[in-house]
Amino acid sequence: MSNKVPYEESQLYKIRHSLSHVMAQAVLEMFPEGKIAIGPPIEDGFYYDFDLPRPLTPEDLKNIEKRMRNILKKKHVFQRRELGAAEAKTFFAGQPYKIELIEGLEAGGVDENGEPLSASEPPVISTYKHDTFEDLCKGPHVDNLGEIHPRAFKLLKVAGAYWRGDEHREQLQRIYGTAWATPEELAKYLHRLEEAEKRDHRKLGKELDLFSTDADMLGGGLVQWHPKGGLIRHLAEEFCRKEHLANGYDLVYSPHIGKSTLWETSGHLGFYQESMYAPLVIDEQEYYLKPMNCPFHILMYKNDLRSYRDLPLRYAEWGTVYRYERSGVLHGLLRVRGFTQDDAHHFVQPDKMPEEIDFVLNFCLHILRSFGFTDFQAYLSTRPKGGKAVGDPEQWSEAELALEEALKRAGIPYDIDPGGGAFYGPKIDIKINDAIGREWQLSTIQFDFNMPERFDMTFIGEDGQPHRPYMVHRALLGSMERFFGVLIEHYGGAFPVWLSPVQAVLIPIADRHIAYCEEVANRLRAAGLRIEVDTGSDRMSNKIRLAQKQKIPYMLIVGDKEQEKDKVSLRLRDGQDLGPKDVATFEMMAFEAIASKA
Ligand SMILES: [Zn+2]
Ligand SMILES: [Zn+2]
């Protein structure tokens, strides 16, 4: 396991935090009547929210950057002081947002950015000053601005932001910046941003006609899978279902709604209700759309008397669930309100649990690798402190140990998040690194000491007595929607051959080659490949460009020479020209690529 410094204590965090102060100073130099709100560091950078007399332009950003560089040059030192509330309000007179924040600090329970604090932290009002600028802040910053490389930051964009995230309050202008230790790191990051933009699944989803969302007519956070996207999902699910069946899983199906009694028993109406939608009423009974599949699988387990000989039971379901998300956080396929989990629940004899965890972790990695992910990072979350956890502490330790040992045996890097587990059990989250080095969370393997109790689940042991089984929830790809978003971005839409909706397109050079192309297409289709013939009137070079834009793996070009010799001229989507090939040779190549999932 690695011992990383938490981001909040890292030098990058201090650099980014300090730059948000420097940016605010630069903006106030340009707009002395401007009002400043909050300016925290964020992942990869920082922002600050301003209330300014006019909208900022791209030229303004350049100007602000220049002023920031000048401020950095002077290597100012940050100076901290503590103030009483009254003193602070006098000092920030004319800055209404700061006054509101100070009132929040005075009342307690929130920090200087209006974010909730744990009850034990006493409210302190402090400021940090560098040069002429003094801001309400609790740090940390760099010691002096000379620690920040003046060519290692960049202002990225201006976006609208509501004060306190409340659409009924003032609309502010938020300037986003990014900052790094060196200009080289900055350049790398900017390149990654550019790559990420090209790979944006919303953009590619439209260009490749894979899926759509429609907040106006359909509703936010609901996804339509178009024929090509639907085919990819079908292929992915078909592969996974086969693997599940070959690995001792049972495939089950459960309804989309269940009676309130079910959700009361499971506890969801107690601890999960804010993510659930209002009930519908059928025969004067309340029914809820399912936010999770677990209670149904438990009912199936309980439908019969279970013996230790029946265990482990592994119930898998591509279960569509509905969870409330604020409209502001919905994002393409990545954050939605209705999605299909590749869900499963394992019911296990307690003494067989370590083997079961080994099995599920290895199965998980096998599935992820099959989709081309090879770079993993696991996170083990353990028992929350302060008596919030249910279940016997000994069971927790046992489960945590099993999870950690399994991670060691699987040989993947992992970090421990002590106390970060849910109240009902420890878990492993597995994140993958994509083609451009971004981390995405996909799989979760989660113990549950709560639900077997709540549903009074039992099995008859070798001793003839009833015992409580262990229950493990797991999702490997996570949700099909989110996974598809990640897959699109990882491959930039150029899916491996086995997942490509169209695997090859035949391109006749002239109309007299169409008949031969159709005949070859039919041969290849009969062999099981997904083939199109471009019979359009475009020139060949345009047809090639179109096929490349559609990220079709193979282009088979046919002119007189190819037609005479029963060949096709093979080009790849990355532009490589492999020259004439026998149709049978191409067929073999394609099937090799499919078999290797390349
Ligand atoms: Zn600060
Ligand atoms: Zn579950």
Side-chain angles (χ1 to χ4, degrees):
M1 86 174 266
S2 63
N3 270 316
K4 273 188 255 168
V5 180
Y7 180 45
E8 287 71 20
E9 292 164 26
S10 67
Q11 175 71 359
L12 266 185
Y13 186 90
K14 292 177 191 168
I15 287 175
R16 290 164 182 166
H17 191 165
S18 306
L19 278 167
S20 77
H21 285 239
V22 173
M23 178 165 76
Q25 178 185 359
V27 169
L28 286 184
E29 283 173 8
M30 288 170 62
F31 302 96
E33 70 281 46
K35 309 278 181 270
I36 54 175
I38 58 167
I42 50 174
E43 194 186 350
D44 302 329
F46 58 92
Y47 70 77
Y48 213 115
D49 287 346
F50 300 98
D51 190 345
L52 301 175
R54 65 166 174 83
L56 292 165
T57 64
E59 288 71 52
D60 289 328
L61 288 195
K62 285 204 192 98
N63 193 351
I64 296 165
E65 269 183 16
K66 211 165 114 196
R67 286 172 185 271
M68 288 172 70
R69 289 203 177 90
N70 284 332
I71 296 166
L72 291 181
K73 260 189 224 155
K74 292 174 203 140
K75 303 188 179 179
H76 301 287
V77 173
F78 278 98
Q79 275 159 349
R80 180 179 188 273
R81 66 177 172 125
E82 268 179 39
L83 303 81
E87 192 188 353
K89 279 189 222 168
T90 313
F91 180 78
F92 284 103
Q95 287 292 351
Y97 302 105
K98 294 293 177 192
I99 301 277
E100 195 176 319
L101 293 170
I102 292 164
E103 281 162 359
L105 282 170
E106 214 180 345
V110 291
D111 69 9
E112 80 282 7
N113 292 328
E115 298 292 333
L117 279 177
S118 71
S120 55
E121 284 179 75
V124 174
I125 301 174
S126 61
T127 64
Y128 275 87
K129 184 179 183 196
H130 75 274
D131 197 12
T132 59
F133 183 73
E134 184 165 354
D135 203 356
L136 184 67
C137 183
K138 65 163 187 243
H141 308 99
V142 295
D143 292 331
N144 93 65
L145 292 177
E147 293 172 38
I148 303 175
H149 195 299
R151 299 272 159 209
F153 79 91
K154 188 174 166 56
L155 303 187
L156 297 173
K157 62 174 180 187
V158 183
Y162 292 105
W163 170 233
R164 313 211 100 157
D166 180 348
E167 61 195 287
H168 305 295
R169 303 288 310 265
E170 296 83 345
Q171 190 168 17
L172 308 172
Q173 299 188 70
R174 174 172 298 176
I175 307 179
Y176 283 99
T178 186
W180 299 84
T182 64
E184 293 72 32
E185 279 177 35
L186 173 66
K188 243 205 245 157
Y189 174 74
L190 293 177
H191 176 71
R192 212 162 71 215
L193 267 193
E194 211 178 286
E195 268 301 307
E197 212 168 296
K198 274 192 239 160
R199 289 161 183 265
D200 190 318
H201 71 281
R202 293 166 300 177
K203 178 174 149 278
L204 286 170
K206 220 175 261 163
E207 286 172 12
L208 303 177
D209 194 15
L210 300 173
F211 72 91
S212 61
T213 55
D214 178 352
D216 296 333
M217 279 297 278
L218 180 65
L222 301 173
V223 177
Q224 308 253 60
W225 295 72
H226 293 196
K228 284 178 179 164
L231 179 59
I232 296 173
R233 172 167 167 177
H234 165 75
L235 294 163
E237 288 188 7
E238 186 186 42
F239 164 74
C240 289
R241 284 203 174 90
K242 270 192 195 149
E243 293 299 306
H244 277 72
L245 287 173
N247 281 280
Y249 281 93
D250 296 311
L251 298 180
V252 300
Y253 294 87
S254 56
H256 285 235
I257 58 173
K259 266 168 82 171
S260 52
T261 348
L262 182 64
W263 306 109
E264 273 155 22
T265 307
S266 68
H268 285 94
L269 281 180
F271 63 80
Y272 204 69
Q273 195 164 18
E274 70 269 31
S275 297
M276 294 169 68
Y277 293 98
L280 38 129
V281 177
I282 302 171
D283 290 344
E284 288 163 45
Q285 293 275 351
E286 289 190 338
Y287 286 73
Y288 286 87
L289 271 172
K290 64 173 167 183
M292 294 189 196
N293 306 298
C294 345
F296 297 94
H297 294 187
I298 293 173
L299 288 190
M300 284 186 231
Y301 178 99
K302 281 178 64 83
N303 200 44
D304 211 342
L305 189 64
R306 306 294 175 182
S307 133
Y308 70 95
R309 286 190 205 87
D310 305 326
L311 304 186
L313 273 175
R314 300 168 181 156
Y315 288 164
E317 174 173 12
W318 271 255
T320 304
V321 297
Y322 299 90
R323 297 180 189 171
Y324 178 70
E325 297 272 7
R326 283 179 300 112
S327 64
V329 303
L330 298 173
H331 180 86
L333 294 172
L334 300 180
R335 202 76 181 262
V336 294
R337 286 175 171 164
F339 55 91
T340 302
Q341 292 181 299
D342 66 329
D343 203 4
H345 296 94
H346 293 229
F347 304 106
V348 195
Q349 281 185 78
D351 59 337
K352 297 279 162 51
M353 183 268 293
E355 292 136 78
E356 191 67 6
I357 296 299
D358 263 343
F359 160 78
V360 69
L361 180 60
N362 285 319
F363 185 64
C364 172
L365 297 177
H366 161 63
I367 294 288
L368 294 178
R369 286 186 180 117
S370 302
F371 286 96
F373 299 112
T374 50
D375 194 355
F376 307 114
Q377 171 69 43
Y379 297 85
L380 168 57
S381 305
T382 63
R383 187 165 196 256
K385 292 169 194 99
K388 271 183 265 171
V390 299
D392 175 359
E394 230 166 84
Q395 286 185 335
W396 276 81
S397 313
E398 211 178 88
E400 287 166 7
L401 184 69
L403 290 171
E404 190 170 0
E405 291 298 318
L407 283 168
K408 281 185 191 156
R409 278 192 290 269
I412 60 172
Y414 66 98
D415 278 330
I416 297 183
D417 178 7
F423 73 90
Y424 48 87
K427 64 166 178 175
I428 297 176
D429 290 322
I430 295 172
K431 300 189 182 181
I432 56 99
N433 277 305
D434 74 2
I436 57 170
R438 291 172 302 175
E439 200 176 60
W440 304 91
Q441 145 108 52
L442 295 178
S443 318
T444 301
I445 299 169
Q446 165 84 61
F447 266 88
D448 194 328
F449 297 128
N450 190 36
M451 281 207 216
E453 286 290 330
R454 299 186 73 107
F455 281 91
D456 190 23
M457 298 175 75
T458 57
F459 70 93
I460 302 300
E462 272 175 272
D463 56 4
Q465 297 301 310
H467 298 270
R468 191 80 75 217
Y470 273 6
M471 175 174 177
V472 174
H473 313 247
R474 56 111 273 212
L476 305 184
L477 306 180
S479 87
M480 295 313 290
E481 283 73 9
R482 189 160 181 287
F483 179 70
F484 192 35
V486 174
L487 204 65
I488 295 170
E489 300 214 356
H490 176 62
Y491 285 111
F495 300 105
V497 185
W498 75 284
L499 287 173
S500 289
V502 178
Q503 292 167 319
V505 58
L506 277 142
I507 300 178
I509 290 179
D511 283 355
R512 63 179 180 280
H513 308 122
I514 290 178
Y516 170 71
C517 283
E518 296 282 12
E519 189 251 314
V520 172
N522 284 335
R523 258 192 274 167
L524 294 170
R525 282 180 195 131
L529 294 172
R530 295 184 290 275
I531 309 290
E532 270 179 9
V533 182
D534 188 346
T535 56
S537 55
D538 265 353
R539 289 174 37 211
M540 184 188 72
S541 55
N542 284 341
K543 288 182 180 179
I544 290 176
R545 210 166 304 135
L546 184 71
Q548 280 176 326
K549 234 189 133 202
Q550 288 297 304
K551 323 261 180 190
I552 297 170
Y554 304 115
M555 283 149 265
L556 311 176
I557 297 147
V558 170
D560 290 334
K561 266 192 297 178
E562 287 81 7
Q563 186 166 329
E564 268 161 40
K565 294 183 179 158
D566 194 20
K567 284 181 189 278
V568 291
S569 220
L570 177 58
R571 284 180 73 111
L572 305 183
R573 59 188 157 194
D574 65 4
Q576 274 191 79
D577 186 348
L578 302 185
K581 301 269 179 228
D582 290 331
V583 176
T585 310
F586 164 70
E587 194 184 309
M588 230 168 60
M589 277 182 60
F591 277 108
E592 268 169 31
I594 289 166
S596 69
K597 297 205 151 47

